Amino acid sequence: MIQYLFLALFFVGIYGLLSSKNLVKMLISLNILELGLNLFIISIGYVNGGNAPIITFDSVSNYVDPLPQALVLTAIVIGFGTTALGLAFIRKVYVEKGSIEIDEIRGGSDD
């Protein structure tokens, strides 16, 4: 049930990406999209009452699948890199063009 909340967060990110013309807002929307997707993947891998997948002497069943956690951890690292690179590009655009609005960078309104 909570997956619907994460999907809603994902779609809020998509809406922000498609509706905003400010580069910083677009980058924030991308991060919201990524957060919703990561939380959705983690929620799918969750097992109620599950145990960590560590081999012990006790026989333990009902393991939690570690693959979604590994994927999300990798996605978080890649997301930080993408955000840092995006902020560097936005700063460079601001220094050269004097604005971070897409319409002003292009030189007019395209609506």
Side-chain angles (χ1 to χ4, degrees):
M1 190 65 169
I2 196 163
Q3 285 94 4
Y4 294 118
L5 175 69
F6 301 145
L7 283 177
L9 199 61
F10 175 79
F11 287 116
V12 166
I14 287 179
Y15 175 75
L17 271 177
L18 296 176
S19 66
S20 179
K21 297 193 182 240
N22 185 313
L23 293 176
V24 173
K25 289 180 182 176
M26 290 176 72
L27 190 62
I28 291 171
S29 298
L30 184 67
N31 285 331
I32 291 172
L33 183 150
E34 177 188 328
L35 175 69
L37 189 62
N38 287 340
L39 289 174
F40 180 74
I41 292 171
I42 285 292
S43 67
I44 287 175
Y46 177 74
V47 175
N48 194 13
N51 296 312
I54 300 172
I55 297 174
T56 61
F57 293 111
D58 301 330
S59 94
V60 177
S61 61
N62 199 16
Y63 288 111
V64 175
D65 187 12
L67 183 62
Q69 297 171 7
L71 288 174
V72 168
L73 187 62
T74 304
I76 289 171
V77 172
I78 292 171
F80 277 131
T82 304
T83 302
L85 186 65
L87 286 173
F89 283 149
I90 291 170
R91 183 184 178 277
K92 184 74 173 174
V93 166
Y94 181 74
V95 168
E96 291 195 8
K97 303 289 183 178
S99 177
I100 54 173
E101 296 290 329
I102 291 178
D103 291 339
E104 294 175 11
I105 293 170
R106 288 183 184 162
S109 176
D110 289 338
D111 291 332

